[in-house]
Amino acid sequence: MVSALSFLEAPLKFRAPGITLQLGLGIGRLVFRALNAAEVVLLLGVGVALVAGPRSTSIGWAASAVALLLLVQLVAVRPALAARTRRVLAGDPHTGSKAHLAYIGLEALKVGGLVVLGLAAFGVV
């Protein structure tokens, strides 16, 4: 989900015919809100599994890293992106955003953490 939405859907929607910046931002806001909600629910499921069942150290570390990255996104970066989106939708000039670059970087790290978590779950790492 993370890879598909963050690295495919997000940039491609702005290339679709008839999608304005305002419409693309509105769609993105809904999509990423839903993605983050799904991530939190799935992460809670992983937490329950870690508490209830046997676990390796690598699974615990990978799950903790993914949880920390998601927390930073939700608490530190998403509010800045939401404020910027509100400004753009209100007609303020479109300017670059370091928060956007931070979110992309955190997404890339999170995908890496999810890969490690999956490998750890199968006993590969």
Side-chain angles (χ1 to χ4, degrees):
M1 283 188 329
V2 174
S3 294
L5 292 176
S6 295
F7 302 116
L8 291 175
E9 183 276 339
L12 289 177
K13 76 173 156 264
F14 291 102
R15 293 182 174 183
I19 298 295
T20 63
L21 178 62
Q22 290 77 14
L23 186 57
L25 289 174
I27 292 168
R29 197 161 47 173
L30 291 172
V31 167
F32 279 93
R33 187 179 304 137
L35 172 64
N36 291 149
E39 288 176 314
V40 168
V41 169
L42 292 171
L43 187 58
L44 290 173
V46 169
V48 168
L50 287 174
V51 170
R55 61 196 168 278
S56 69
T57 303
S58 57
I59 290 175
W61 279 109
S64 297
V66 170
L68 179 63
L69 292 166
L70 180 59
L71 181 66
V72 170
Q73 283 182 309
L74 295 177
V75 173
V77 183
R78 277 289 306 267
L81 288 175
R84 179 175 175 267
T85 299
R86 284 191 299 274
R87 287 192 308 272
V88 171
L89 291 175
D92 285 353
H94 177 67
T95 59
S97 170
K98 290 182 183 176
H100 192 214
L101 295 176
Y103 195 89
I104 293 168
L106 289 167
E107 285 290 85
L109 290 172
K110 192 166 57 179
V111 167
L114 290 168
V115 169
V116 171
L117 180 58
L119 293 172
F122 286 106
V124 176
V125 294

